[in-house]
Structure formats: C-alpha cells, structure tokens
Amino acid sequence: MRGAINRIKATSVGRAMFLLETKRFYPTKTWKTLPLHLAVKTAAGEKLAPSPAVREGINMEWPEFHNGVASALQMIHSGAAINSHWLFHGQGSAPNATHAGFLLGIGLLGKIAGLGKVHAWRYLVNRHNLTSLAIMLGLAATYIGTNDRVAFTLLSIQLPPFLPPDSTALNIPFQTQAAGLLGVGLIFLGSDQRSKADVLVRQIEPPELESKDLRAEYREGHALAAGFALGLIMLCKARRDSLDSQADLNILNKLHALMDGHGLQPAQSAEFCHIELGVTSVPATMALAFIFLRSNRNDIAARIKMPIAAEKVDEIRPDLLLARALARSLIMWDAIQPTTAWIESQLPVFMRGFKLDQARESPDDEAVQLAYINIRMALCFAIGLKYAGPRPNIQAATTLQQEFDQLFEQARARGKSSRKLIIKIWSVLTQVMFLSQR
C-alpha cells in the first residue's frame, strides 16, 4: 500500500508535462485544483484506502505543492500577467502547500508579474515556508535575465546577506534563503554583476548555526543554491572575458579552494574539513562549470581533479566525482562526442576497460565501482545535455541506451551480494536516460 501511495504522490510531475497548457483560463472564474486521492483500486475492482494510522504518517506537504504546480501549468493564458487580486483570492483562509505550488506554476508560465508589491508582501509576511519559496522562485522565473530591481528588492528582504550590515537580524529559514539565492541568480542571469557575485561566493560557505542537526539538514542546500546562482550570474563569462582581473581571479581562486577543500576556515579537525568539503565542493564545482561553460579551456578543466589511482578513490565521495566529471565535460563542450569511445577516453586511466562483473567483493573494489558508475553517468548526462532538443541525435540516443543495458547487465551478473549496487545503477541510469533524451 505504501508503495502505491508513493507512486500516487509522484504523479504530479508527469501530469504537469503531459497536460501542459491544455486548459483555458477565464479571469471571471476560480481555478480548481483537483486534490490528490490516495485510494487505489485492485485488479479485482476492490477499492483500498490507507488506514488512519498510515495516513497520519504520510507527509503530504511536498506532494500537494507539486500538485499545485501541475495544476497551474495546465493553464492556457495568452494575455498579460494574471491579476494579483485573483491570485490572492485563490489562497483561501490560510496559506497552504497547494496554493503555494500554484503560485510557482504561474511564475514558471511568466504570468506572476501582475502580483503587486502589496500582495507579494502579504504572501511573504505570513512566513509560510512553501509560499515564500514559491513567490521568490516564481518572480525570478518571470523576470529571468531582466535585472529587475523591484523583483530583486522583494527577494532581498528575505536574504540577510543582501541587507545592510546594521540591519536587524531576521530568523529566515534556510530553505527560504536558498530559494531566494537561486532567484537572484535567475533575475541577474548573465549580467556579470560584481556586487552580487561577491556576496554569493561567500554564501557557498554558509554561516554556522547553533544547531548541528539543522546545519546538516539545510547548509548543503543553501550552499548549492549560492553556487548555482553565482554560476548563473557569471554564465559563460569566460567566453566574453579573459577573467584576468584581480577581482575575477579572487573569485576563481576561492571557488577552487571550496572545491578541493583547501583553505577552508575554521579547520579545527579532519572531520570538520570533510564535512565542509561535502557542503562546498559540488556548489563550487558547478559554479566553475557555468562560468567556463563552452569555453573549451583545457587548463581549467585540468584543475578539476579526478583520482589518478584506485588507492585514491576513497579520498573523494562518488557524488563529488559525478559533479566534477560533468563540470569538465561542460567546460570542454566542443569535445563531447556521442560515442562510447569518448566516454572511455574521459575516464581515469585506471578505470578504462573496467567491468563491474569482474570486480572482487571487497570494500576497496566497491569504492572503485561506485566511483566508476558516477563518473560514467556524468559523461552520459553530458552527452544528453549537448544533443538534447526537438531533433534528437540518433547516435547519442543509441549510445545512452547501450550504456544503460551494458552497465545494468554487468551489475546484475554479480548476484544478490550486489543488490544495493544494482539499485543505485538503476536509479542513476534511469534518471540520466530520461533527462538526457528529453
């Protein structure tokens, strides 16, 4: 029953794509968002509903949020922005996840520009986390690349890093701050604004919090949003500029330090350094990838280090290797080829010709296997990104399908002892295949 419920909770994403812009909008009518029904019907026609005990343990906040987004994306609206009074009227008596998702969907359609500052403030002042997140990302999506000052002002009041130094301390949730940081990157897309970039590069190394548990849960998301935002503001800057000014060099050196784990402060213990690297490495890596996107700068790609021997694999987490392999490919964009030979050439030398079904059952070999899977999947994703589009490249699609088949068969041949590895391959490969061929 729980498996069926989880599948129902995930249907909103597919429904949003399948029913995109299929329902006419009428400004004189309210918009109805159908609720998520958790009941299922068996093959025998019997209807089963979750028991009260099961329902009580189900977190429906995010599924309802995604349901609201899917509902908004059905809208066919050829006119200007949607009236702010109409939007606010649809909220109901109290903020809720479904309406928050609806607001984000309207923003993704570019129709939230009509939300007046008064109504935007009325949404934000409630401190409902999902509503604040939706308003900020919706405004950013609507005003993407416009450098709009009003939209930035609405976001900045939720972002302590962008407030004056003597401002009153605000207890803004880290999730809300992360959404705001990403929104800043979208609004100032490709603008190369130095003041924003300087703030964001400092946010990749998020401030300490009193609660260690809270830090572990939210700091990584905060840092990742800052890294993406910095990369978006300086998107493809290396193709427009030599990046030899001292200000640019300071940002690049800081990003390399955050990626490699060197120079982080404070560093009281090896454990702290490891935790900080897990927080800052991926954001810094992706920021560098965006800044040098399609620049074909081999010197920069070479500075994104990969393990040179099997004994060194344990020094870098597998997910960090995925980010690094993807970043190197995005930088060396023109070198990407839709072939297995190109994938093999981008692997570390000691991994070339590696087969999962020939590896031994040992912790060291398992580390190499996980590294191998993540690097290879990053390279597949790079192929998909380059050759995605309305006219799919047949050779790229064939190569990706072959990668899927071969790796999965190699893992399955290892038997029950590698079940965890098979599940990981299945999940990663499926995501790459679906994303790359869209």
Side-chain angles (χ1 to χ4, degrees), residues 8-81:
I8 293 171
K9 288 160 63 176
T11 56
S12 297
V13 178
R15 188 170 70 255
M17 293 186 287
F18 186 70
L19 299 178
L20 181 64
E21 295 187 341
T22 56
K23 185 178 178 181
R24 182 70 60 184
F25 167 76
Y26 297 98
T28 57
K29 298 181 179 180
T30 59
W31 187 271
K32 293 183 179 180
T33 299
L34 298 178
L36 286 176
H37 294 288
L38 300 183
V40 298
K41 183 178 291 187
T42 66
E46 182 183 1
K47 186 176 181 180
L48 299 177
S51 65
V54 172
R55 184 180 291 273
E56 187 176 343
I58 299 173
N59 185 353
M60 291 297 296
E61 191 174 49
W62 279 108
E64 288 174 354
F65 179 85
H66 296 145
N67 187 41
V69 176
S71 177
L73 293 178
Q74 295 181 41
M75 186 179 294
I76 302 175
H77 189 280
S78 56

Side-chain angles (χ1 to χ4, degrees), residues 58-360:
I58 299 173
N59 185 353
M60 291 297 296
E61 191 174 49
W62 279 108
E64 288 174 354
F65 179 85
H66 296 145
N67 187 41
V69 176
S71 177
L73 293 178
Q74 295 181 41
M75 186 179 294
I76 302 175
H77 189 280
S78 56
I82 294 175
N83 183 275
S84 59
H85 293 280
W86 186 91
L87 283 174
F88 199 77
H89 178 73
Q91 176 180 258
S93 57
N96 59 81
T98 302
H99 185 68
F102 184 80
L103 291 173
L104 177 56
I106 295 296
L108 293 175
L109 292 174
K111 303 299 182 181
I112 207 172
L115 186 67
K117 287 188 284 187
V118 173
H119 279 124
W121 176 250
R122 286 175 66 185
Y123 276 123
L124 295 173
V125 78
N126 288 321
R127 293 294 185 90
H128 184 252
N129 193 38
L130 289 181
T131 300
S132 299
L133 180 152
I135 287 293
M136 290 192 291
L137 289 181
L139 284 170
T142 295
Y143 290 103
I144 186 169
T146 63
N147 299 353
D148 189 87
R149 304 303 304 179
V150 175
F152 172 67
T153 300
L154 287 171
L155 266 62
S156 65
I157 59 178
Q158 302 288 315
L159 297 173
F162 287 99
L163 295 177
D166 57 348
S167 300
T168 304
L170 300 175
N171 185 24
I172 305 297
F174 255 34
Q175 287 177 305
T176 302
Q177 291 187 46
L181 291 174
L182 184 58
V184 171
L186 292 171
I187 292 173
F188 294 98
L189 179 69
S191 65
D192 298 337
Q193 289 218 9
R194 176 69 56 203
S195 60
K196 308 296 186 300
D198 289 339
V199 172
L200 290 167
V201 74
R202 292 194 296 270
Q203 294 306 303
I204 295 178
E205 199 173 1
E208 290 292 330
L209 296 177
E210 295 181 3
S211 169
K212 186 175 181 179
D213 293 336
L214 188 61
R215 181 181 70 238
E217 187 174 354
Y218 294 127
R219 291 185 78 230
E220 189 171 347
H222 184 280
L224 191 61
F228 271 93
L230 173 62
L232 290 171
I233 288 177
M234 301 181 68
L235 189 65
C236 296
K237 184 174 174 61
R239 302 185 70 194
R240 304 186 296 270
D241 194 298
S242 60
L243 294 173
D244 54 3
S245 69
Q246 189 58 50
D248 287 331
L249 291 176
N250 289 341
I251 288 180
L252 297 181
N253 289 334
K254 180 66 172 178
L255 289 175
H256 280 292
L258 293 170
M259 178 182 65
D260 294 329
H262 302 301
L264 296 180
Q265 297 295 331
Q268 293 90 350
S269 66
E271 180 184 1
F272 184 87
C273 288
H274 177 70
I275 293 173
E276 287 299 293
L277 182 59
V279 171
T280 64
S281 184
V282 173
T285 303
M286 297 315 300
L288 284 169
F290 285 5
I291 294 170
F292 289 93
L293 180 65
R294 302 182 68 178
S295 65
N296 300 301
R297 289 277 300 272
N298 191 56
D299 58 325
I300 300 298
R303 290 186 65 182
I304 302 177
K305 301 296 185 183
M306 303 292 281
I308 59 176
E311 297 77 18
K312 300 290 186 180
V313 168
D314 272 340
E315 296 178 3
I316 308 176
R317 275 182 5 206
D319 58 314
L320 305 189
L321 291 175
L322 187 149
R324 293 186 183 191
L326 178 60
R328 287 162 62 108
S329 301
L330 294 178
I331 293 170
M332 303 299 296
W333 183 265
D334 291 346
I336 297 175
Q337 297 295 324
T339 64
T340 301
W342 177 80
I343 294 175
E344 286 289 334
S345 70
Q346 299 304 304
L347 293 171
V349 176
F350 72 93
M351 286 187 182
R352 295 174 188 174
F354 181 83
K355 301 293 184 183
L356 293 176
D357 53 357
Q358 297 174 0
R360 297 186 303 273

